[in-house]
Amino acid sequence: MDLSRADIAAFIEVVRSGGVSRAALNIGVTQPSVSKALRRLEESVGVSLLERGVHGVRLTSEGQLFLEAAKRFEVQHLELVRLSSELRARHSGLLRLGITSPSSDSIAVHAISDLVRRRPGVRLQLHIGKSDELNAKVEDGELDLAVVPAYHGQSMSCSQIALSQEEMRLVVRAGHPLAQLPSVGLHDLTPFAWVMPSQQSAALHALQRVLQQNGAPAPHVALEPDYVSEAVMGIITRTDLLSMIPSSVLRGWLGRVMPLSVPELQIQRTQVLLSRPQASWSALMIDLRDLLLSYRPPQRE
């Protein structure tokens, strides 16, 4: 019996969408192509899997049994694809790493530099993105590891190893009206717009949670960058926008921007190393993990 994976995928989509026409549209092929795929599949299996009617299709009892097995087959196929990708990466000396545009003196940058020096033949694919995007890519097997910031209460599906903690600081340009005040409270921030990541970002959610808990209005975000870049910092120095930036980034901009002390806005984040649960660790993955841990600050007693 020769069962085509493409035919099985067409069958699953027909059942999911409830009809051949909608399935063809979703898959991106013609309706006759989907109909032929169903006929080939039923001929191979030897029984009718679907009942056709004016209102769409309906599974036969045999079709229901076949659907359950087909879904298991799809899951196993995806797992094989991920495993094959990992095996190729290990065999070729390739490490696929995600980071969230850290500062030049971050532990991720130090560890990557050490890895390149120690393994001259390594091939490193570096993907810069957002935390949730990188988490999804690691889970799907598109990346081997990712170093990302995690905030209190943030949920991630990948396994995590804590690397270091970092304080987020509220900053404004030098000469900002808020910098002239003897003390700054949350409600003093209300007239000013913010530079913050997208609505889905954990950093924005952490800020919104603090403001809400203290009865302050939600922040008006005027600029939504993917991450804090040189360009973003330059905009902050030329406007009255507010922002929360990592203390490691602040060090390079002191004098051009000023940190403001607002007791309620003491937000901490943890740099974590993400890996896929139950993933098979290659030698390169282990080397990078050990280098990252070697830069982890000593625990305070």
mmCIF file of all heavy atoms in Angstrom, residues 49-86:
data_model
loop_
_atom_site.group_PDB
_atom_site.id
_atom_site.type_symbol
_atom_site.label_atom_id
_atom_site.label_comp_id
_atom_site.label_asym_id
_atom_site.label_seq_id
_atom_site.Cartn_x
_atom_site.Cartn_y
_atom_site.Cartn_z
ATOM 1 N N LEU A 49 -13.788 6.959 2.805
ATOM 2 C CA LEU A 49 -13.432 7.705 4.015
ATOM 3 C C LEU A 49 -14.373 8.877 4.262
ATOM 4 O O LEU A 49 -14.525 9.321 5.409
ATOM 5 C CB LEU A 49 -11.998 8.229 3.903
ATOM 6 C CG LEU A 49 -10.910 7.182 3.676
ATOM 7 C CD1 LEU A 49 -9.564 7.859 3.472
ATOM 8 C CD2 LEU A 49 -10.852 6.206 4.838
ATOM 9 N N LEU A 50 -15.005 9.375 3.200
ATOM 10 C CA LEU A 50 -15.860 10.549 3.303
ATOM 11 C C LEU A 50 -17.177 10.315 2.569
ATOM 12 O O LEU A 50 -17.225 9.614 1.553
ATOM 13 C CB LEU A 50 -15.170 11.777 2.702
ATOM 14 C CG LEU A 50 -13.888 12.270 3.375
ATOM 15 C CD1 LEU A 50 -13.192 13.281 2.484
ATOM 16 C CD2 LEU A 50 -14.191 12.874 4.738
ATOM 17 N N GLU A 51 -18.225 10.889 3.091
ATOM 18 C CA GLU A 51 -19.512 10.943 2.406
ATOM 19 C C GLU A 51 -19.709 12.358 1.884
ATOM 20 O O GLU A 51 -19.633 13.321 2.642
ATOM 21 C CB GLU A 51 -20.656 10.575 3.360
ATOM 22 C CG GLU A 51 -20.623 9.132 3.824
ATOM 23 C CD GLU A 51 -21.762 8.811 4.796
ATOM 24 O OE1 GLU A 51 -22.480 9.772 5.185
ATOM 25 O OE2 GLU A 51 -21.913 7.643 5.160
ATOM 26 N N ARG A 52 -19.946 12.501 0.574
ATOM 27 C CA ARG A 52 -20.114 13.807 -0.029
ATOM 28 C C ARG A 52 -21.592 14.164 -0.074
ATOM 29 O O ARG A 52 -22.447 13.301 -0.330
ATOM 30 C CB ARG A 52 -19.564 13.841 -1.451
ATOM 31 C CG ARG A 52 -18.035 13.928 -1.547
ATOM 32 C CD ARG A 52 -17.375 12.601 -1.331
ATOM 33 N NE ARG A 52 -15.967 12.596 -1.767
ATOM 34 C CZ ARG A 52 -15.141 11.589 -1.547
ATOM 35 N NH1 ARG A 52 -15.571 10.501 -0.905
ATOM 36 N NH2 ARG A 52 -13.883 11.668 -1.966
ATOM 37 N N GLY A 53 -21.905 15.415 0.183
ATOM 38 C CA GLY A 53 -23.276 15.902 0.129
ATOM 39 C C GLY A 53 -23.316 17.356 -0.270
ATOM 40 O O GLY A 53 -22.277 18.017 -0.444
ATOM 41 N N VAL A 54 -24.516 17.890 -0.424
ATOM 42 C CA VAL A 54 -24.663 19.285 -0.842
ATOM 43 C C VAL A 54 -24.142 20.246 0.211
ATOM 44 O O VAL A 54 -23.811 21.396 -0.083
ATOM 45 C CB VAL A 54 -26.139 19.607 -1.167
ATOM 46 C CG1 VAL A 54 -26.590 18.836 -2.386
ATOM 47 C CG2 VAL A 54 -27.028 19.314 0.032
ATOM 48 N N HIS A 55 -24.096 19.808 1.460
ATOM 49 C CA HIS A 55 -23.646 20.676 2.548
ATOM 50 C C HIS A 55 -22.189 20.417 2.934
ATOM 51 O O HIS A 55 -21.743 20.836 3.996
ATOM 52 C CB HIS A 55 -24.548 20.503 3.765
ATOM 53 C CG HIS A 55 -25.981 20.851 3.516
ATOM 54 N ND1 HIS A 55 -26.381 22.124 3.179
ATOM 55 C CD2 HIS A 55 -27.100 20.084 3.516
ATOM 56 C CE1 HIS A 55 -27.690 22.141 3.004
ATOM 57 N NE2 HIS A 55 -28.155 20.916 3.191
ATOM 58 N N GLY A 56 -21.468 19.690 2.080
ATOM 59 C CA GLY A 56 -20.066 19.433 2.381
ATOM 60 C C GLY A 56 -19.784 17.954 2.525
ATOM 61 O O GLY A 56 -20.464 17.111 1.920
ATOM 62 N N VAL A 57 -18.781 17.626 3.306
ATOM 63 C CA VAL A 57 -18.372 16.239 3.482
ATOM 64 C C VAL A 57 -18.547 15.823 4.932
ATOM 65 O O VAL A 57 -18.536 16.661 5.846
ATOM 66 C CB VAL A 57 -16.905 16.033 3.051
ATOM 67 C CG1 VAL A 57 -16.722 16.341 1.581
ATOM 68 C CG2 VAL A 57 -15.965 16.891 3.888
ATOM 69 N N ARG A 58 -18.679 14.508 5.118
ATOM 70 C CA ARG A 58 -18.804 13.957 6.472
ATOM 71 C C ARG A 58 -18.013 12.661 6.536
ATOM 72 O O ARG A 58 -18.005 11.877 5.571
ATOM 73 C CB ARG A 58 -20.274 13.703 6.802
ATOM 74 C CG ARG A 58 -20.515 13.241 8.240
ATOM 75 C CD ARG A 58 -21.994 13.151 8.531
ATOM 76 N NE ARG A 58 -22.653 12.177 7.654
ATOM 77 C CZ ARG A 58 -23.954 11.909 7.687
ATOM 78 N NH1 ARG A 58 -24.749 12.582 8.501
ATOM 79 N NH2 ARG A 58 -24.461 11.005 6.871
ATOM 80 N N LEU A 59 -17.352 12.436 7.636
ATOM 81 C CA LEU A 59 -16.539 11.232 7.801
ATOM 82 C C LEU A 59 -17.418 9.990 7.907
ATOM 83 O O LEU A 59 -18.460 10.000 8.568
ATOM 84 C CB LEU A 59 -15.685 11.339 9.064
ATOM 85 C CG LEU A 59 -14.455 12.252 9.012
ATOM 86 C CD1 LEU A 59 -13.917 12.469 10.417
ATOM 87 C CD2 LEU A 59 -13.373 11.645 8.125
ATOM 88 N N THR A 60 -16.971 8.930 7.243
ATOM 89 C CA THR A 60 -17.559 7.619 7.506
ATOM 90 C C THR A 60 -16.936 7.078 8.797
ATOM 91 O O THR A 60 -15.977 7.663 9.335
ATOM 92 C CB THR A 60 -17.276 6.656 6.350
ATOM 93 O OG1 THR A 60 -15.850 6.457 6.250
ATOM 94 C CG2 THR A 60 -17.803 7.217 5.032
ATOM 95 N N SER A 61 -17.459 5.958 9.284
ATOM 96 C CA SER A 61 -16.870 5.371 10.499
ATOM 97 C C SER A 61 -15.431 4.955 10.237
ATOM 98 O O SER A 61 -14.546 5.131 11.095
ATOM 99 C CB SER A 61 -17.691 4.177 10.968
ATOM 100 O OG SER A 61 -17.802 3.208 9.927
ATOM 101 N N GLU A 62 -15.168 4.430 9.034
ATOM 102 C CA GLU A 62 -13.782 4.086 8.679
ATOM 103 C C GLU A 62 -12.933 5.346 8.551
ATOM 104 O O GLU A 62 -11.751 5.367 8.913
ATOM 105 C CB GLU A 62 -13.751 3.302 7.356
ATOM 106 C CG GLU A 62 -14.362 1.929 7.425
ATOM 107 C CD GLU A 62 -15.872 1.951 7.202
ATOM 108 O OE1 GLU A 62 -16.433 3.066 7.063
ATOM 109 O OE2 GLU A 62 -16.489 0.872 7.178
ATOM 110 N N GLY A 63 -13.558 6.419 8.014
ATOM 111 C CA GLY A 63 -12.846 7.674 7.873
ATOM 112 C C GLY A 63 -12.429 8.263 9.204
ATOM 113 O O GLY A 63 -11.356 8.866 9.323
ATOM 114 N N GLN A 64 -13.276 8.093 10.217
ATOM 115 C CA GLN A 64 -12.951 8.599 11.553
ATOM 116 C C GLN A 64 -11.718 7.895 12.109
ATOM 117 O O GLN A 64 -10.818 8.527 12.672
ATOM 118 C CB GLN A 64 -14.136 8.399 12.501
ATOM 119 C CG GLN A 64 -13.899 8.936 13.905
ATOM 120 C CD GLN A 64 -13.676 10.438 13.933
ATOM 121 O OE1 GLN A 64 -14.463 11.189 13.370
ATOM 122 N NE2 GLN A 64 -12.597 10.865 14.571
ATOM 123 N N LEU A 65 -11.655 6.576 11.938
ATOM 124 C CA LEU A 65 -10.490 5.816 12.402
ATOM 125 C C LEU A 65 -9.234 6.244 11.642
ATOM 126 O O LEU A 65 -8.157 6.409 12.226
ATOM 127 C CB LEU A 65 -10.728 4.315 12.212
ATOM 128 C CG LEU A 65 -11.781 3.674 13.120
ATOM 129 C CD1 LEU A 65 -12.033 2.227 12.709
ATOM 130 C CD2 LEU A 65 -11.334 3.738 14.579
ATOM 131 N N PHE A 66 -9.397 6.429 10.319
ATOM 132 C CA PHE A 66 -8.246 6.826 9.505
ATOM 133 C C PHE A 66 -7.767 8.225 9.885
ATOM 134 O O PHE A 66 -6.555 8.487 9.918
ATOM 135 C CB PHE A 66 -8.616 6.782 8.025
ATOM 136 C CG PHE A 66 -7.445 6.995 7.114
ATOM 137 C CD1 PHE A 66 -6.615 5.936 6.768
ATOM 138 C CD2 PHE A 66 -7.146 8.255 6.605
ATOM 139 C CE1 PHE A 66 -5.518 6.127 5.931
ATOM 140 C CE2 PHE A 66 -6.059 8.457 5.773
ATOM 141 C CZ PHE A 66 -5.243 7.390 5.437
ATOM 142 N N LEU A 67 -8.699 9.135 10.181
ATOM 143 C CA LEU A 67 -8.329 10.494 10.561
ATOM 144 C C LEU A 67 -7.472 10.505 11.816
ATOM 145 O O LEU A 67 -6.478 11.233 11.899
ATOM 146 C CB LEU A 67 -9.582 11.343 10.778
ATOM 147 C CG LEU A 67 -9.350 12.782 11.256
ATOM 148 C CD1 LEU A 67 -8.606 13.584 10.192
ATOM 149 C CD2 LEU A 67 -10.678 13.448 11.601
ATOM 150 N N GLU A 68 -7.848 9.719 12.815
ATOM 151 C CA GLU A 68 -7.068 9.669 14.056
ATOM 152 C C GLU A 68 -5.648 9.204 13.793
ATOM 153 O O GLU A 68 -4.682 9.772 14.317
ATOM 154 C CB GLU A 68 -7.769 8.746 15.054
ATOM 155 C CG GLU A 68 -9.129 9.266 15.522
ATOM 156 C CD GLU A 68 -9.906 8.240 16.325
ATOM 157 O OE1 GLU A 68 -9.352 7.143 16.563
ATOM 158 O OE2 GLU A 68 -11.056 8.537 16.705
ATOM 159 N N ALA A 69 -5.500 8.168 12.936
ATOM 160 C CA ALA A 69 -4.164 7.675 12.606
ATOM 161 C C ALA A 69 -3.400 8.697 11.763
ATOM 162 O O ALA A 69 -2.191 8.874 11.920
ATOM 163 C CB ALA A 69 -4.268 6.349 11.861
ATOM 164 N N ALA A 70 -4.118 9.400 10.866
ATOM 165 C CA ALA A 70 -3.470 10.394 10.008
ATOM 166 C C ALA A 70 -2.915 11.548 10.822
ATOM 167 O O ALA A 70 -1.826 12.061 10.530
ATOM 168 C CB ALA A 70 -4.471 10.898 8.969
ATOM 169 N N LYS A 71 -3.640 11.975 11.837
ATOM 170 C CA LYS A 71 -3.150 13.072 12.679
ATOM 171 C C LYS A 71 -1.901 12.647 13.444
ATOM 172 O O LYS A 71 -0.958 13.430 13.592
ATOM 173 C CB LYS A 71 -4.250 13.517 13.644
ATOM 174 C CG LYS A 71 -5.372 14.297 12.974
ATOM 175 C CD LYS A 71 -6.408 14.750 13.985
ATOM 176 C CE LYS A 71 -7.473 15.628 13.334
ATOM 177 N NZ LYS A 71 -8.502 16.062 14.295
ATOM 178 N N ARG A 72 -1.897 11.401 13.918
ATOM 179 C CA ARG A 72 -0.696 10.908 14.604
ATOM 180 C C ARG A 72 0.484 10.866 13.634
ATOM 181 O O ARG A 72 1.622 11.201 13.985
ATOM 182 C CB ARG A 72 -0.943 9.520 15.199
ATOM 183 C CG ARG A 72 -1.912 9.503 16.370
ATOM 184 C CD ARG A 72 -1.836 8.195 17.131
ATOM 185 N NE ARG A 72 -2.219 7.056 16.295
ATOM 186 C CZ ARG A 72 -3.470 6.604 16.179
ATOM 187 N NH1 ARG A 72 -4.458 7.214 16.828
ATOM 188 N NH2 ARG A 72 -3.733 5.553 15.427
ATOM 189 N N PHE A 73 0.210 10.477 12.388
ATOM 190 C CA PHE A 73 1.249 10.441 11.365
ATOM 191 C C PHE A 73 1.829 11.835 11.124
ATOM 192 O O PHE A 73 3.055 11.993 10.992
ATOM 193 C CB PHE A 73 0.659 9.880 10.067
ATOM 194 C CG PHE A 73 1.565 9.999 8.872
ATOM 195 C CD1 PHE A 73 2.620 9.123 8.679
ATOM 196 C CD2 PHE A 73 1.371 11.015 7.929
ATOM 197 C CE1 PHE A 73 3.457 9.245 7.574
ATOM 198 C CE2 PHE A 73 2.194 11.145 6.833
ATOM 199 C CZ PHE A 73 3.252 10.251 6.656
ATOM 200 N N GLU A 74 0.973 12.858 11.061
ATOM 201 C CA GLU A 74 1.438 14.216 10.833
ATOM 202 C C GLU A 74 2.348 14.689 11.968
ATOM 203 O O GLU A 74 3.387 15.313 11.736
ATOM 204 C CB GLU A 74 0.238 15.161 10.693
ATOM 205 C CG GLU A 74 -0.402 15.156 9.327
ATOM 206 C CD GLU A 74 0.499 15.751 8.264
ATOM 207 O OE1 GLU A 74 0.658 16.979 8.231
ATOM 208 O OE2 GLU A 74 1.057 14.976 7.472
ATOM 209 N N VAL A 75 1.960 14.393 13.206
ATOM 210 C CA VAL A 75 2.783 14.783 14.355
ATOM 211 C C VAL A 75 4.135 14.097 14.296
ATOM 212 O O VAL A 75 5.188 14.720 14.519
ATOM 213 C CB VAL A 75 2.052 14.445 15.673
ATOM 214 C CG1 VAL A 75 2.983 14.643 16.866
ATOM 215 C CG2 VAL A 75 0.808 15.309 15.825
ATOM 216 N N GLN A 76 4.134 12.797 13.979
ATOM 217 C CA GLN A 76 5.390 12.056 13.902
ATOM 218 C C GLN A 76 6.275 12.579 12.759
ATOM 219 O O GLN A 76 7.498 12.650 12.890
ATOM 220 C CB GLN A 76 5.096 10.572 13.711
ATOM 221 C CG GLN A 76 4.477 9.917 14.929
ATOM 222 C CD GLN A 76 3.932 8.526 14.636
ATOM 223 O OE1 GLN A 76 3.869 8.105 13.482
ATOM 224 N NE2 GLN A 76 3.541 7.814 15.675
ATOM 225 N N HIS A 77 5.643 12.959 11.647
ATOM 226 C CA HIS A 77 6.412 13.496 10.526
ATOM 227 C C HIS A 77 7.090 14.806 10.905
ATOM 228 O O HIS A 77 8.271 15.023 10.582
ATOM 229 C CB HIS A 77 5.491 13.712 9.318
ATOM 230 C CG HIS A 77 6.196 14.303 8.132
ATOM 231 N ND1 HIS A 77 6.229 15.663 7.900
ATOM 232 C CD2 HIS A 77 6.930 13.730 7.136
ATOM 233 C CE1 HIS A 77 6.932 15.892 6.807
ATOM 234 N NE2 HIS A 77 7.358 14.754 6.320
ATOM 235 N N LEU A 78 6.366 15.699 11.593
ATOM 236 C CA LEU A 78 6.960 16.965 12.019
ATOM 237 C C LEU A 78 8.118 16.727 12.981
ATOM 238 O O LEU A 78 9.136 17.428 12.932
ATOM 239 C CB LEU A 78 5.892 17.849 12.677
ATOM 240 C CG LEU A 78 4.827 18.412 11.737
ATOM 241 C CD1 LEU A 78 3.754 19.137 12.538
ATOM 242 C CD2 LEU A 78 5.442 19.347 10.713
ATOM 243 N N GLU A 79 7.964 15.731 13.857
ATOM 244 C CA GLU A 79 9.032 15.412 14.789
ATOM 245 C C GLU A 79 10.263 14.904 14.038
ATOM 246 O O GLU A 79 11.406 15.242 14.370
ATOM 247 C CB GLU A 79 8.558 14.368 15.794
ATOM 248 C CG GLU A 79 9.596 13.964 16.828
ATOM 249 C CD GLU A 79 10.053 15.135 17.693
ATOM 250 O OE1 GLU A 79 9.281 16.096 17.861
ATOM 251 O OE2 GLU A 79 11.187 15.073 18.203
ATOM 252 N N LEU A 80 10.046 14.102 12.998
ATOM 253 C CA LEU A 80 11.163 13.615 12.187
ATOM 254 C C LEU A 80 11.865 14.759 11.467
ATOM 255 O O LEU A 80 13.090 14.767 11.341
ATOM 256 C CB LEU A 80 10.651 12.587 11.171
ATOM 257 C CG LEU A 80 10.352 11.186 11.708
ATOM 258 C CD1 LEU A 80 9.691 10.338 10.631
ATOM 259 C CD2 LEU A 80 11.623 10.509 12.198
ATOM 260 N N VAL A 81 11.091 15.721 10.985
ATOM 261 C CA VAL A 81 11.682 16.887 10.312
ATOM 262 C C VAL A 81 12.557 17.667 11.277
ATOM 263 O O VAL A 81 13.677 18.073 10.953
ATOM 264 C CB VAL A 81 10.573 17.791 9.727
ATOM 265 C CG1 VAL A 81 11.162 19.107 9.229
ATOM 266 C CG2 VAL A 81 9.854 17.072 8.594
ATOM 267 N N ARG A 82 12.031 17.884 12.501
ATOM 268 C CA ARG A 82 12.824 18.607 13.509
ATOM 269 C C ARG A 82 14.089 17.835 13.858
ATOM 270 O O ARG A 82 15.170 18.412 13.981
ATOM 271 C CB ARG A 82 11.981 18.856 14.757
ATOM 272 C CG ARG A 82 10.986 19.985 14.617
ATOM 273 C CD ARG A 82 10.451 20.425 15.972
ATOM 274 N NE ARG A 82 9.639 19.385 16.588
ATOM 275 C CZ ARG A 82 8.318 19.326 16.523
ATOM 276 N NH1 ARG A 82 7.662 20.236 15.848
ATOM 277 N NH2 ARG A 82 7.646 18.370 17.116
ATOM 278 N N LEU A 83 13.946 16.513 14.046
ATOM 279 C CA LEU A 83 15.104 15.696 14.398
ATOM 280 C C LEU A 83 16.143 15.720 13.290
ATOM 281 O O LEU A 83 17.348 15.836 13.542
ATOM 282 C CB LEU A 83 14.652 14.267 14.684
ATOM 283 C CG LEU A 83 15.765 13.265 15.017
ATOM 284 C CD1 LEU A 83 16.537 13.713 16.254
ATOM 285 C CD2 LEU A 83 15.193 11.867 15.209
ATOM 286 N N SER A 84 15.692 15.619 12.038
ATOM 287 C CA SER A 84 16.616 15.652 10.907
ATOM 288 C C SER A 84 17.368 16.969 10.861
ATOM 289 O O SER A 84 18.570 17.006 10.579
ATOM 290 C CB SER A 84 15.845 15.446 9.597
ATOM 291 O OG SER A 84 15.209 14.188 9.584
ATOM 292 N N SER A 85 16.657 18.067 11.143
ATOM 293 C CA SER A 85 17.292 19.383 11.158
ATOM 294 C C SER A 85 18.362 19.452 12.234
ATOM 295 O O SER A 85 19.460 19.978 12.021
ATOM 296 C CB SER A 85 16.238 20.469 11.382
ATOM 297 O OG SER A 85 16.827 21.739 11.389
ATOM 298 N N GLU A 86 18.070 18.883 13.413
ATOM 299 C CA GLU A 86 19.045 18.885 14.501
ATOM 300 C C GLU A 86 20.260 18.038 14.146
ATOM 301 O O GLU A 86 21.401 18.409 14.425
ATOM 302 C CB GLU A 86 18.389 18.359 15.780
ATOM 303 C CG GLU A 86 17.380 19.309 16.401
ATOM 304 C CD GLU A 86 16.784 18.747 17.683
ATOM 305 O OE1 GLU A 86 17.162 17.622 18.052
ATOM 306 O OE2 GLU A 86 15.963 19.439 18.289
#
